[in-house]
Amino acid sequence: MVDYTPFNFRHDPMLAHRTVFARGIAGLCCCSLVSALTLARAADSNKVLRVAFEIEETGFDPVRVTDNYSSQIMEQVFETLLTYDYLARPAKLVAKTAESLPDVGDKGKTYLFHVRKGIYFHPDPAFKGKRRELTAADYAYSIKRFMDPKNRSPWRFLIDGKIIGLDELSAKAVKSGRFDYDAAVPGLELVDRYTLRFHLTETDYNFAYIMAMPAMSAVAREVIEMYADDTNAHPIGTGPYILTTWVRKSKMILDANPDYREVIWDFAGSDDPRDMAAVAAMKGKRIPQIGRVEISVISEEQSRWLAFQNGQIDYIDRFGSFAPIAIPQNKLAPDLVARGITLDRSVETEMTYYAFNIEDPAIGGMSKAKIALRRAMNMAYDINQEIGVIRKNQAKALQSPVPPGVVGYDPQYRSISRYDPALANKLLDYFGYKRGADGFRDNPDGSRLTIVLTSEPLAISREYDELWKKSLDVIGLRFESRKSPFSDNIKAAEACQLAMWGSAWHSDYPDGENFMQLFYGPNTHQSNHACYRSPAFDKLYDQIKSTPNSPERDRMFDLMTRQLEVDGVMHLGVTRYRNVLVSPRIKGYRYHPIMTAVFEYLDIEPDARPN
């Protein structure tokens, strides 16, 4: 999941009870999606959680959206068949709308799910006043949507080539111009109203993980067809919260679903004091407890920090520049301790990286000279300066795209891409990148060479721009920074239009496959922002998909990493420490390595707001 944190630097459940819709104003910046709700059962409308996003959302259609911030909303409005145990570490799959974990057969080629009865979509005019129950057919329909050419889903790679008969249906749609959602697909067997059996084309031991991803949430066909022109603005799910207000790129309000089924907070955790505190505060309570979640987009770090200090938001998880003040020596500052604020600190299951567009005329291509250029850029960039100066030592350099905490991580692996500007200069000299009178290098054919980095119009982005300029100055490469909003940059990266762009990928599921798919050739124009196509790499990727967890499979990850390094496909960055400062009024908070939002698992003591 793309988690852009402007190189402060990844690709689940949502809504309920809509009584008033503001239709026909999609072009306006604000649309009120739901009027006042009568909250019932556990959720208390007086309990209001206030959260800040550092980057704007892009929309709420699970098939179309890949960014972390939109996903946080979707995880609360929509629901998947499976999810994760809130406290289990390492991450552990559990049932969500399914009755249990799937029955797996035929050596990982069939997966049988039983959908719980009595789960209902949030009310919507699309249902014509009737109560709409969730069924197995809703998951079959939702999965078909990935393969509809009109959707151009960036998540299509999750399903492409995996489900028997689905690719053939998509191919027919390309020819006819219409995707037949009513056509039977052998790989999506509707056993009965509540039972769905997947028949896969080949063994896939990670398929259950995929079914826990927010993208695999169930949508209702009636809703999609009614709002076909803007599905991103009409999220109707079965989850614990409903998106009642959306001021685009500014504010979102989630209200508790009054019709949410009975789900009891019942997690064990470990003997970690933070787990024990969560269990003591939450065990036995009904989900959700909080009646409203108010999310504001606050892009600048200083503004978020002040908002937390002033009690305007209830927790903060991105405050890198203020880390020396808040957590000196990685310990909570005494003044914060005195206010009852707590620290939840862990290592992210993520990687940050700059993708080098292999299709770009300036830095792309697979000739020896172009590969040398990209490898020289890598050697010129001082990752330790990034960690120490910009990130305030709140990150660890990665040696491989597979980070700690993820299956396939090799703690012994060492990258050949190391900081060595002297060697970088020699490499460029050898391959004919000569310096001109201005001290900067041109291409071997004499044409002007400029390295263009696209980044976001934020203060923190400028710090990374300056570090890149300083690094490339040392090896005589001209540098130019171009600014565009994050949402525009995602689209441009998927279209292979950015020469170089930095982002982060947070694990959708705890397996190295989820990171290596970022460089898989068929995923170009989807998640492969490097637009990299390598037969050797792709062959290894195909093998890991059908190979069970083993030393042999771990070795494949190492070989794939080495191939990326040799071809100079990206600049590999860091995995960050996730430091979350939590107000004393919030109970039950624990950072989860996979789930992007945990609002449903929290409670509030209204009178405990810090001074």
Side-chain angles (χ1 to χ4, degrees):
M1 177 179 297
V2 173
D3 173 13
Y4 174 75
T5 349
F7 253 75
N8 216 354
F9 303 97
R10 271 185 219 184
H11 285 347
D12 323 345
M14 277 191 185
L15 283 170
H17 224 59
R18 300 187 175 216
T19 56
V20 177
F21 278 79
R23 306 301 185 196
I25 58 170
L28 300 180
C29 66
C30 174
C31 56
S32 177
L33 298 182
V34 185
S35 68
L37 299 177
T38 302
L39 299 182
R41 299 174 178 169
D44 182 348
S45 60
N46 294 314
K47 296 179 178 180
V48 180
L49 175 68
R50 297 174 178 88
V51 180
F53 285 175
E54 59 186 316
I55 296 296
E56 70 272 10
E57 77 298 337
T58 59
F60 311 111
D61 182 343
V63 164
R64 299 176 184 272
V65 173
T66 62
D67 67 280
N68 172 56
Y69 303 96
S70 299
S71 291
Q72 290 194 45
I73 302 297
M74 290 192 295
E75 284 191 20
Q76 300 301 301
V77 176
F78 295 111
E79 291 188 293
T80 46
L81 287 161
L82 303 176
T83 186
Y84 290 88
D85 184 301
Y86 180 49
L87 295 182
R89 307 291 186 274
K92 173 186 174 184
L93 284 174
V94 294
K96 184 74 168 180
T97 63
E99 291 183 350
S100 62
L101 294 178
D103 295 325
V104 182
D106 195 14
K107 298 181 180 179
K109 293 176 69 175
T110 65
Y111 285 76
L112 180 69
F113 289 91
H114 299 282
V115 178
R116 294 179 189 271
K117 299 176 182 178
I119 298 176
Y120 294 91
F121 283 95
H122 311 141
D124 186 86
F127 303 136
K128 303 184 186 305
K130 297 180 180 179
R131 202 170 183 225
R132 173 64 156 80
E133 188 180 19
L134 174 72
T135 68
D138 293 312
Y139 284 103
Y141 169 76
S142 299
I143 287 167
K144 286 180 179 179
R145 294 187 67 226
F146 290 98
M147 303 301 287
D148 186 342
K150 290 184 179 179
N151 286 329
R152 291 179 291 182
S153 176
W155 291 113
R156 176 172 172 150
F157 71 90
L158 293 170
I159 300 299
D160 227 350
K162 289 188 176 182
I163 297 175
I164 293 174
L166 194 51
D167 286 76
E168 290 79 359
L169 185 61
S170 181
K172 289 180 181 178
V174 171
K175 293 180 180 179
S176 68
R178 175 182 172 275
F179 191 92
D180 186 0
Y181 283 97
D182 294 313
V185 175
L188 294 172
E189 180 190 356
L190 292 171
V191 180
D192 58 40
R193 181 176 172 82
Y194 302 102
T195 307
L196 174 62
R197 180 183 284 112
F198 293 91
H199 297 270
L200 307 184
T201 57
E202 59 186 13
T203 296
D204 187 344
Y205 293 106
N206 282 329
F207 191 73
Y209 283 133
I210 291 172
M211 288 298 102
M213 290 177 58
M216 296 299 154
S217 298
V219 299
R221 182 171 179 174
E222 303 96 309
V223 172
I224 298 301
E225 292 180 349
M226 184 169 181
Y227 309 115
D229 293 336
D230 194 7
T231 55
N232 263 326
H234 301 280
I236 304 295
T238 61
Y241 285 97
I242 304 165
L243 183 65
T244 55
T245 299
W246 181 24
V247 183
R248 294 174 188 259
K249 301 183 179 182
S250 177
K251 187 165 186 170
M252 290 140 278
I253 295 178
L254 295 166
D255 281 299
N257 175 6
D259 197 29
Y260 196 57
R261 65 191 178 277
E262 183 176 85
V263 179
I264 304 300
W265 203 105
D266 186 22
F267 303 100
S270 67
D271 58 1
D272 185 310
R274 296 169 297 180
D275 283 359
M276 295 172 68
V279 171
M282 298 299 298
K283 190 174 181 63
K285 291 184 178 181
R286 191 162 181 168
I287 293 173
Q289 288 286 308
I290 295 173
R292 172 168 288 193
V293 182
E294 296 180 354
I295 302 131
S296 301
V297 177
I298 306 177
S299 299
E300 294 299 342
E301 189 176 78
Q302 183 178 24
S303 298
R304 291 195 304 277
W305 175 249
L306 290 174
F308 178 73
Q309 288 285 75
N310 295 331
Q312 295 168 342
I313 58 176
D314 291 309
Y315 63 80
I316 183 170
D317 59 357
R318 301 289 190 192
F319 56 93
S321 297
F322 296 92
I325 299 172
I327 49 171
Q329 286 78 53
N330 299 322
K331 302 290 185 181
L332 194 61
D335 63 310
L336 298 180
V337 173
R339 294 169 60 191
I341 291 169
T342 56
L343 170 66
D344 189 299
R345 178 176 170 86
S346 57
V347 178
E348 300 263 29
T349 53
E350 66 163 4
M351 74 163 180
T352 70
Y353 71 113
Y354 286 90
F356 299 148
N357 181 0
I358 306 303
E359 294 184 0
D360 183 74
I363 67 172
M366 294 302 292
S367 67
K368 291 182 179 179
K370 291 296 187 181
I371 291 174
L373 171 63
R374 297 192 295 270
R375 293 185 64 178
M377 290 167 59
N378 270 333
M379 287 187 282
Y381 188 86
D382 189 352
I383 191 66
N384 290 323
Q385 187 169 0
E386 174 188 319
I387 292 172
V389 177
I390 302 178
R391 297 191 181 278
K392 312 302 182 188
N393 293 310
Q394 297 305 310
K396 299 168 61 176
L398 285 174
Q399 299 294 320
S400 163
V402 182
V406 169
V407 173
Y409 170 67
D410 181 357
Q412 304 303 318
Y413 185 88
R414 292 295 177 267
S415 172
I416 61 174
S417 297
R418 63 187 185 277
Y419 177 62
D420 192 339
L423 183 58
N425 270 305
K426 291 180 181 179
L427 189 63
L428 292 173
D429 290 339
Y430 182 83
F431 281 94
Y433 291 93
K434 297 180 180 179
R435 293 180 185 263
D438 60 359
F440 289 105
R441 298 178 186 271
D442 292 320
N443 284 306
D445 63 4
S447 60
R448 185 181 178 88
L449 173 61
T450 300
I451 307 301
V452 178
L453 167 65
T454 299
S455 61
E456 286 65 30
L458 299 171
I460 190 67
S461 297
R462 290 192 289 273
E463 294 189 51
Y464 290 97
D465 297 347
E466 290 167 3
L467 180 55
W468 269 108
K469 184 180 187 308
K470 178 182 176 181
S471 300
L472 297 185
D473 280 349
V474 173
I475 59 174
L477 295 178
R478 297 179 190 86
F479 175 81
E480 178 184 337
S481 174
R482 297 177 183 173
K483 300 294 183 182
S484 299
F486 170 63
S487 55
D488 292 346
N489 289 341
I490 279 189
K491 294 176 183 176
E494 289 172 354
C496 298
Q497 294 173 346
L498 302 183
M500 180 179 170
W501 183 50
S503 64
W505 189 266
H506 188 283
S507 56
D508 296 305
Y509 50 92
D511 190 276
E513 176 193 344
N514 187 234
F515 292 86
M516 290 304 185
Q517 60 83 20
L518 295 170
F519 309 100
Y520 183 51
N523 292 350
T524 300
H525 300 303
Q526 298 180 66
S527 58
N528 181 355
H529 296 164
C531 308
Y532 173 62
R533 296 176 176 87
S534 163
F537 182 93
D538 291 351
K539 181 179 179 181
L540 285 167
Y541 181 82
D542 288 333
Q543 290 175 350
I544 65 168
K545 290 192 296 183
S546 57
T547 303
N549 185 22
S550 61
E552 176 190 5
R553 189 169 184 265
D554 291 344
R555 181 174 175 275
M556 292 178 190
F557 283 121
D558 288 349
L559 291 173
M560 295 167 77
T561 299
R562 193 67 82 203
Q563 187 70 54
L564 294 173
E565 293 170 353
V566 168
D567 291 342
V569 177
M570 64 164 173
H571 170 75
L572 181 62
V574 303
T575 182
R576 294 165 291 182
Y577 288 101
R578 172 73 70 158
N579 297 300
V580 187
L581 300 181
V582 185
S583 162
R585 69 194 294 261
I586 304 303
K587 302 302 176 184
Y589 183 87
R590 290 293 279 122
Y591 172 70
H592 194 276
I594 307 297
M595 294 189 293
T596 60
V598 296
F599 310 148
E600 67 195 277
Y601 301 115
L602 308 180
D603 199 359
I604 284 178
E605 291 183 2
D607 297 328
R609 184 177 294 278
N611 297 323

